[in-house]
């Protein structure tokens, strides 16, 4: 069937857990509606007043209970319109807000498909997969199918009893797996097997052996070479393991850079759409948000930002060593040095009397809260006067024995924060070129006693950080299983306006625990980890920064660690691939836990048969008493 009069109904499914309509939605609908006669917008869950006002400009808005995923949203819309009216349209377009764009006007796609003799069509195809990872696909495997984010059903299909029966008998969808297994994965084959003709506008069958999911694994290629008008919002928070099973991890960086540098699409729509609701760990991993900046050359940018350095100095014997790092700041910067005694202040002023800056001030603060209170209390009267601030402090590390290991942690923090003037000015330029960048932090320590930090970034601090987040009213996601992109050394660059949710508390010294403080698990360590969530709440992203020299060190260290893992794991029959290793190790841990449980239960049953119950209770009571 060919389209003649272009009479089309659109059914647009929208979901946002906070009921907020981000700007990418009206941008998309502005173009879509040029190709529609009528639009029905189905919203699962809630929709705030502003969002409803925005969507109502495009068509009828129906807000329904958040159940059945997109499948039952489509079903609801079809029932609302009714079969009699539906059959008057040449095409019914079912699409959802998981896609962003358009990169090219959708009229190009509709015009391209108008002359094709089809019963239904879509934008992109997911290729056949031998297996059913969802556990509910009636065929036992994933067949070739049109992806459900954009399916167009023509009158020849819509008016058929087959189509009516499909939707009338659609079972309730209870989870994401069922949404795929009971609708998206089977819709195409279900009707194709009945003789209905289908195709997609972005036909990339030649990529079948490259990826089963080209829109996710090579989106830039589809946009550039096949004029695909859309990309997936999920690209920016998708499972990193899945990317690395199919690519070397370049897909999302390549996509974002192409959109930013080669198209008219506003990349700020992307940040707005992902920062509120998705884990910063996934965003940073997928977008490879690590800035490697030179320290030997300076970018050819003239920065306009108002800059300050806040540095807390506690150890007089480190004054000369830290002077070099202070001198890395631009000469028109303001310098605030905090310390805790008059004697130290005098020593600092004497050691740094030759430093020439726009403003240099040494402040005495209470020794409660250490370097954290220096930033949150000691300079809170001036901090919002600046566009960018670097925060640092002298450092002796309690987690390791005095010597090179602790000194190397300080080196890692300082070198990737204040290496030299070239590097500092390159950091400033990077902030100016990336207006959504809110926090730049050195990579976490991973040498010597710090080795487990990579993978256990929370340490014993998730609960106290989550409690603080709740007190501050943060709503961005936080999980004990997703690492924070935090300055685990409390040295970093940031935009003060991105820190406003933290400064809104108006901290005082007595908010912090008195000395002595523990080496981990305190409020200070919670604040250290909450910084990136603060900037995310404010609509900015955290990232990692390194000099090019240190990036080489970090790469070789991590490469060395992975070599060791592989030799031990594969050498002992685990693997050889990452996915296998993780699966097998998880299985081993589950089995170990199960065996321990079974052995305990067996011993308990044996003891019960040998000894009287009164004797066992007495022993248990005595053990508890001795444990105390």
């Amino acid at each position: 069937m060919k389209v003649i009069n272009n009479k089309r109904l659109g059914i647009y499914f929208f979901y946002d857990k906070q009921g907020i309509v981000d700007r990418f939605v009206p941008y998309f609908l502005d173009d879509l509606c040029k190709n529609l006669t009528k639009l029905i917008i189905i919203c699962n869950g809630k929709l705030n007043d502003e969002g409803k006002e925005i969507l109502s400009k495009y068509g009828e808005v129906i807000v329904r209970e958040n159940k059945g995923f997109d499948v039952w949203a489509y079903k609801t819309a079809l029932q609302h319109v009714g079969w009699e009216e539906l059959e008057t349209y040449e095409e019914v377009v079912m699409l959802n807000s998981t896609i962003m764009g358009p990169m090219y006007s959708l009229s190009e796609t509709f015009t391209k498909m108008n002359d094709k003799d089809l019963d239904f069509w879509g934008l992109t195809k997911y290729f056949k997969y031998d297996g059913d990872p969802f556990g509910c696909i009636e065929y036992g495997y994933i067949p070739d199918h049109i992806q459900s984010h954009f399916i167009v059903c023509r009158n020849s299909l819509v008016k058929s009893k087959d189509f009516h029966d499909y939707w009338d008998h659609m079972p309730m969808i209870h989870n994401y797996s069922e949404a795929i297994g009971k609708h998206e994965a089977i819709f195409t084959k279900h009707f194709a097997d009945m003789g209905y003709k289908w195709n997609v506008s972005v036909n990339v069958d030649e990529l079948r052996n490259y990826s089963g999911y080209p829109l996710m694994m090579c989106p830039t290629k589809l946009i550039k070479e096949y004029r695909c008008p859309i990309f997936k919002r999920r690209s920016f928070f998708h499972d990193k393991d899945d990317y690395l099973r199919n690519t070397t991890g370049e897909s999302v960086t390549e996509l974002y850079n192409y959109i930013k540098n080669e198209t008219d699409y506003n990349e700020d729509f992307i940040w707005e759409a992902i920062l509120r609701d998705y884990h910063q760990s996934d965003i940073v991993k997928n977008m490879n948000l690590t800035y490697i900046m030179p320290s030997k050359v300076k970018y050819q940018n003239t920065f306009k930002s108002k800059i300050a350095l806040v540095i807390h100095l506690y150890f007089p014997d480190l004054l000369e060593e830290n002077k070099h790092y202070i001198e890395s700041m631009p000469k028109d910067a303001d310098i605030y040095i905090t310390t805790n005694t008059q004697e130290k202040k005098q020593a600092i002023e004497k050691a740094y009397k030759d430093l020439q800056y726009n403003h240099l001030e040494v402040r005495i603060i209470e020794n409660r809260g250490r370097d954290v209170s220096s930033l949150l209390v000691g300079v809170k009267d001036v901090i919002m006067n600046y566009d960018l601030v670097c925060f640092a402090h002298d450092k002796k590390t309690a987690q390791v024995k005095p010597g090179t290991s602790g000194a190397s942690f300080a080196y890692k923090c300082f070198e990737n924060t204040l290496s030299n003037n070239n590097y500092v000015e390159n950091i400033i330029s990077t902030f100016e070129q990336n207006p959504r960048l809110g926090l730049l932090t050195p990579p976490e320590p991973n040498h010597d006693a710090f080795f487990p930090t990579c993978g256990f970034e929370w340490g014993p601090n998730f609960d106290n950080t989550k409690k603080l987040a709740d007190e501050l009213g943060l709503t961005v996601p936080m999980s004990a299983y997703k690492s924070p992109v935090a300055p685990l050394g409390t040295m970093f660059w940031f935009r003060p306006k991105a820190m406003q949710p933290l400064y809104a508390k108006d901290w005082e010294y007595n908010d912090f625990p008195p000395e002595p403080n523990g080496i981990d698990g305190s409020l200070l360590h919670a604040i250290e980890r909450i910084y990136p969530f603060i900037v995310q709440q404010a609509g900015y992203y955290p990232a990692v920064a390194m000099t090019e020299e240190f990036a080489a060190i970090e790469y070789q260290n991590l490469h060395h660690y992975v070599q060791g893992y592989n030799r031990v794991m594969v050498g002992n029959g685990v693997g050889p691939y990452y996915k296998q290793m993780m699966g097998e190790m998880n299985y081993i841990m589950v089995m170990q836990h199960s065996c321990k449980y079974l052995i305990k239960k067996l011993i308990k049953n044996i003891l019960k048969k040998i000894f009287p119950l009164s004797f066992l209770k007495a022993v248990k009571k005595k053990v508890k008493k001795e444990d105390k």
Side-chain angles (χ1 to χ4, degrees):
M1 176 186 175
K2 299 179 182 180
V3 173
I4 300 172
N5 298 319
N6 297 327
K7 185 179 180 184
R8 295 189 186 94
L9 170 70
I11 299 173
Y12 183 75
F13 167 64
F14 173 81
Y15 171 74
D16 181 89
K17 68 179 182 180
Q18 297 180 46
I20 296 172
V21 177
D22 291 314
R23 288 179 295 160
F24 83 90
V25 174
Y27 183 87
F28 189 95
L29 295 181
D30 280 338
D31 187 84
L32 174 69
C33 286
K34 295 174 183 177
N35 305 279
L36 301 178
T37 308
K38 179 179 179 181
L39 179 65
I40 304 289
I41 300 170
I42 301 288
C43 172
N44 278 10
K46 58 185 176 182
L47 188 62
N48 66 21
D49 291 340
E50 183 183 358
K52 190 165 187 178
E53 182 180 351
I54 292 170
L55 295 181
S56 296
K57 296 175 183 177
Y58 299 97
E60 182 181 1
V61 179
I62 299 172
V63 181
R64 63 185 293 274
E65 185 181 354
N66 185 23
K67 66 177 185 178
F69 288 74
D70 60 337
V71 187
W72 271 69
Y74 296 139
K75 178 181 170 75
T76 298
L78 294 171
Q79 290 174 334
H80 176 74
V81 176
W83 295 121
E84 184 176 348
E85 182 182 341
L86 287 167
E87 291 172 18
T88 66
Y89 294 98
E90 290 184 86
E91 291 184 325
V92 174
V93 186
M94 294 182 286
L95 70 163
N96 63 46
S97 58
T98 66
I99 56 176
M100 299 181 70
M103 311 310 294
Y104 312 101
S105 176
L106 293 170
S107 61
E108 178 181 316
T109 297
F110 284 110
T111 300
K112 174 184 176 181
M113 301 304 288
N114 275 349
D115 293 333
K116 297 186 182 297
D117 187 18
L118 302 169
D119 298 296
F120 64 106
W121 59 273
L123 286 180
T124 55
K125 184 192 300 184
Y126 192 101
F127 294 129
K128 178 183 176 182
Y129 175 80
D130 292 327
D132 175 12
F134 306 104
C136 56
I137 300 176
E138 62 183 84
Y139 308 117
Y141 68 96
I142 300 177
D144 275 17
H145 64 271
I146 299 171
Q147 292 185 273
S148 65
H149 49 240
F150 194 107
I151 295 179
V152 182
C153 300
R154 289 193 172 155
N155 183 265
S156 56
L157 177 61
V158 173
K159 70 182 181 182
S160 70
K161 184 176 183 300
D162 298 324
F163 191 73
H164 295 189
D165 287 345
Y166 179 87
W167 288 105
D168 287 343
H169 299 113
M170 174 62 66
M172 176 50 67
I173 302 299
H174 301 96
N175 51 54
Y176 176 76
S177 292
E178 289 185 357
I180 304 296
K182 293 187 177 182
H183 171 62
E184 179 171 357
I186 69 168
F187 182 91
T188 304
K189 179 173 170 56
H190 177 86
F191 289 108
D193 288 349
M194 293 180 173
Y196 295 96
K197 299 186 289 294
W198 69 280
N199 210 328
V200 291
S201 64
V202 185
N203 195 323
V204 293
D205 281 354
E206 60 266 34
L207 300 180
R208 182 179 295 271
N209 294 328
Y210 180 80
S211 170
Y213 194 172
L215 184 60
M216 187 67 74
M217 299 304 158
C218 50
T220 310
K221 186 178 186 68
L222 267 62
I223 294 170
K224 287 173 62 175
E225 299 178 22
Y226 297 89
R227 294 189 70 79
C228 179
I230 55 101
F231 59 94
K232 293 286 282 186
R233 180 169 39 151
R234 185 179 184 85
S235 298
F236 302 94
F237 53 87
H238 187 57
D239 178 18
K240 184 73 173 183
D241 285 349
D242 193 36
Y243 277 129
L244 293 179
R245 283 192 290 269
N246 292 275
T247 73
T248 192
E250 78 281 10
S251 304
V252 185
T253 300
E254 187 180 54
L255 173 63
Y256 179 78
N257 288 339
Y258 178 76
I259 290 170
K260 180 180 179 179
N261 301 321
E262 305 294 334
T263 77
D264 294 330
Y265 192 79
N266 186 350
E267 74 274 10
D268 204 46
F269 290 171
I270 297 170
W271 294 115
E272 192 174 83
I274 63 177
L275 286 173
R276 280 189 300 106
D277 293 332
Y278 302 104
H279 289 283
Q280 59 182 244
S281 175
D282 295 327
I283 295 169
V284 170
K285 284 180 183 178
N286 289 342
M287 297 186 71
N288 299 302
L289 293 173
T290 300
Y291 293 92
I292 311 298
M293 289 167 285
S295 59
K296 295 178 181 177
V297 295
K298 192 179 298 184
Y299 295 154
Q300 297 301 309
N301 292 334
T302 303
F303 62 85
K304 301 176 182 178
S305 301
K306 189 175 180 183
I307 311 298
L309 167 67
V310 178
I311 183 166
H312 181 63
L313 301 179
Y314 182 81
F315 302 105
D317 58 313
L318 297 179
L319 289 181
E320 192 60 35
E321 179 180 324
N322 292 327
K323 184 177 181 181
H324 156 73
Y325 292 112
I326 296 174
E327 290 176 326
S328 298
M329 293 296 291
K331 292 303 178 185
D332 57 354
D334 292 347
I335 311 297
Y336 295 92
I337 302 172
T338 63
T339 192
N340 66 314
T341 69
Q342 182 64 34
E343 292 76 17
K344 290 179 184 178
K345 178 182 178 181
Q346 291 172 351
I348 292 168
E349 289 174 337
K350 180 179 179 181
Y352 298 162
K353 64 180 184 296
D354 59 333
L355 293 182
Q356 298 297 315
Y357 283 97
N358 182 60
H359 176 77
L360 193 153
E361 178 182 347
V362 182
R363 295 184 172 192
I364 298 175
I365 66 171
E366 288 187 32
N367 188 31
R368 183 162 175 163
R370 301 181 184 177
D371 51 282
V372 177
S373 64
S374 164
L375 182 62
L376 297 186
V377 183
V379 294
K380 68 180 177 181
D381 60 315
V382 296
I383 201 75
M384 290 301 164
N385 296 336
Y386 298 93
D387 300 308
L388 293 175
V389 171
C390 176
F391 178 62
H393 59 94
D394 54 9
K395 191 169 185 62
K396 292 184 180 180
T397 305
Q399 288 96 323
V400 295
K401 295 177 182 179
T404 56
S405 182
S408 287
F409 184 17
Y411 172 84
K412 187 172 192 175
C413 292
F414 270 118
E415 282 297 305
N416 293 300
T417 305
L418 288 164
S419 178
N420 60 31
N421 183 256
N422 287 337
Y423 180 68
V424 165
E425 294 203 12
N426 290 340
I427 282 181
I428 295 168
S429 295
T430 298
F431 270 97
E432 292 193 340
Q433 292 166 15
N434 297 276
R436 285 279 186 165
L437 174 59
L439 176 77
L440 267 183
T441 173
E444 73 283 344
N446 52 47
H447 65 286
D448 192 41
F450 303 108
F451 177 72
T453 303
C454 189
F456 295 92
E457 292 85 354
W458 283 111
N461 296 289
F462 178 77
D463 289 340
N464 57 359
T465 308
K466 184 66 172 66
K467 179 183 178 183
L468 178 58
D470 292 341
E471 290 173 0
L472 296 173
L474 302 193
T475 57
V476 293
M478 183 182 290
S479 168
Y481 303 100
K482 302 280 186 178
S483 57
V485 187
L488 301 183
T490 324
M491 298 192 205
F492 53 95
W493 282 83
F494 68 99
R495 294 184 195 273
K497 64 180 180 181
M499 285 287 187
Q500 281 180 330
L502 186 59
Y503 278 96
K505 178 177 168 58
D506 194 20
W507 294 85
E508 301 293 343
Y509 290 112
N510 59 11
D511 291 324
F512 300 94
E515 295 293 342
N517 261 295
I519 63 171
D520 209 347
S522 72
L523 173 63
L524 306 183
H525 300 92
I527 293 174
E528 183 180 51
R529 285 159 177 80
I530 209 166
Y531 290 128
F533 296 98
I534 293 291
V535 302
Q536 187 180 1
Q537 181 77 22
Y540 298 86
Y541 66 88
V544 176
M546 282 185 274
T547 68
E548 79 274 54
E549 291 96 340
F550 200 89
I553 295 170
E554 190 76 350
Y555 168 77
Q556 290 298 340
N557 291 347
L558 297 177
H559 183 262
H560 176 75
Y561 292 149
V562 173
Q563 279 184 320
Y565 284 142
N566 282 345
R567 287 169 181 164
V568 171
M569 301 279 275
V570 178
N572 285 277
V574 180
Y577 304 112
Y578 177 75
K579 182 182 178 181
Q580 286 177 278
M581 286 181 185
M582 296 302 291
E584 289 171 16
M585 287 307 298
N586 285 335
Y587 174 77
I588 289 170
M589 287 188 289
V590 169
M591 290 303 295
Q592 285 178 336
H593 179 77
S594 299
C595 287
K596 287 179 182 177
Y597 171 77
L598 290 172
I599 290 170
K600 283 182 178 179
K601 192 170 183 180
L602 179 62
I603 292 172
K604 189 175 181 180
N605 287 336
I606 292 172
L607 290 173
K608 280 182 179 179
K609 290 182 178 180
I610 298 174
F611 300 102
L613 185 60
S614 58
F615 173 79
L616 293 175
K617 285 182 177 180
V619 170
K620 187 176 181 181
K621 187 176 181 181
K622 185 177 181 182
V623 168
K624 281 186 176 181
K625 185 177 180 181
E626 290 180 355
D627 282 345
K628 288 181 180 179

